[in-house]
Amino acid sequence: MPNTIHIPTPLRPFTDQKESVEVSGSTVGELLADLTSRHDGLRKHLYADDGRLRNFVNVYLNDEDIRYLEREATPVKPGDELSIVPSVAGGRR
Amino acid sequence: MTMLTLRAGVAEAIRRHGAETYPDECCGAIIGRDGVVTDTYALPNMTEEGPRRRFRVTPADYRDAERRAAEGGAELLGFYHSHPDHPARPSQYDLDHAWPFFSYIIVSVRGGVPEDMTSWRLKDDRSAFDQEDLTNAEHDTHSHPSSPLH
């Protein structure tokens, strides 16, 4: 059974405007890797140059922030859902 | 160059919010469709790094804005924020935290008085912003990047 990743508005142009995408893997990291391998152009917006998730990219596993789980090593079960949710931030300097 | 049109009342709402929160930065969502902003949604600035120079929208507020846009049959087009006593130009920090395809409206607020308003989009390679052509339908005025809306 595949897993579903919910895609936020600014990343939907990379997923043919789909609000959710089906992926497979056994950890959060594998699901994200499957997503970025299927949809060209997503990776640079999710990951920094050092390969780590950007700090304003929030990933939830069934509504739990993966930072409070085992981050990308968090195991997933069939049917679990991931959500990518932006932290929007900025400022004058 | 992409273009963003502000329907009647939108620019005024953003300016008013910027004046209200001065000297802190304000922030909010811009909602509409096909490059036309029809509504704004003021959000609390939840930064923990000093609201006089930073803003942050929480993931919960982001989800709320996206849901609110969809419920109205529209899309989340991006976000606005103010630069208190600073030009309406994006900072490196703005660039580092930008999302693709969103419009980022910045209003400069000097001494509590809103001034220039500009809009920006992240380049595809994340190297910089491109300025958008911002049109204010309210007064039928048109601002090119060289002359931001007043």
Side-chain angles (χ1 to χ4, degrees):
Chain A
M1 187 177 179
N3 296 95
T4 300
I5 299 187
H6 297 281
I7 308 296
T9 304
L11 299 184
R12 289 178 196 160
F14 298 103
T15 60
D16 304 322
Q17 296 300 333
K18 288 179 189 157
E19 294 181 21
S20 61
V21 173
E22 292 201 338
V23 291
S24 55
S26 59
T27 63
V28 167
E30 286 180 17
L31 297 187
L32 291 171
D34 192 23
L35 174 74
T36 55
S37 70
R38 288 167 190 251
H39 299 283
D40 206 26
L42 267 181
R43 187 172 174 82
K44 64 177 174 290
H45 296 297
L46 296 178
Y47 293 93
D49 292 341
D50 62 6
R52 297 168 63 137
L53 273 175
R54 294 182 183 277
N55 61 7
F56 55 91
V57 175
N58 303 287
V59 179
Y60 294 84
L61 175 63
N62 303 326
D63 285 335
E64 262 200 276
D65 190 332
I66 63 165
R67 294 185 187 95
Y68 300 107
L69 301 170
E70 296 170 54
R71 295 179 180 262
E72 288 157 275
T74 308
V76 293
K77 297 188 299 293
D80 279 349
E81 296 192 358
L82 281 193
S83 300
I84 299 171
V85 183
S87 271
V88 174
R92 63 181 183 165
R93 62 186 161 89
Chain B
M1 179 183 292
T2 55
M3 194 168 101
L4 193 68
T5 300
L6 308 183
R7 278 282 166 79
V10 168
E12 187 189 350
I14 294 171
R15 287 197 169 91
R16 191 167 54 238
H17 194 193
E20 281 169 6
T21 62
Y22 181 89
D24 291 346
E25 295 198 6
C26 72
C27 58
I30 55 174
I31 290 168
R33 184 171 278 284
D34 300 328
V36 179
V37 182
T38 53
D39 205 4
T40 59
Y41 184 21
L43 294 167
N45 180 354
M46 299 301 286
T47 185
E48 293 168 347
E49 299 179 76
R52 293 196 179 192
R53 65 189 184 97
R54 294 279 165 86
F55 80 93
R56 186 173 77 92
V57 175
T58 64
D61 284 337
Y62 174 89
R63 280 178 149 172
D64 196 32
E66 202 168 69
R67 189 180 310 120
R68 186 167 165 145
E71 283 171 359
E75 291 173 1
L76 182 59
L77 296 179
F79 289 84
Y80 69 84
H81 70 283
S82 61
H83 279 183
D85 298 319
H86 220 72
R89 301 191 68 80
S91 64
Q92 182 65 41
Y93 191 85
D94 287 328
L95 178 64
D96 291 343
H97 292 77
W99 288 83
F101 300 101
F102 267 165
S103 292
Y104 287 90
I105 294 176
I106 303 175
V107 60
S108 172
V109 183
R110 292 194 182 272
V113 180
E115 294 186 345
D116 294 347
M117 186 182 293
T118 56
S119 186
W120 307 82
R121 269 202 197 207
L122 182 66
K123 282 182 186 289
D124 190 48
D125 64 2
R126 302 195 60 91
S127 64
F129 281 104
D130 285 323
Q131 189 165 0
E132 291 191 294
D133 207 358
L134 191 57
T135 300
N136 190 344
E138 191 172 12
H139 304 297
D140 200 27
T141 55
H142 189 222
S143 162
H144 291 286
S146 57
S147 56
L149 282 178
H150 290 279

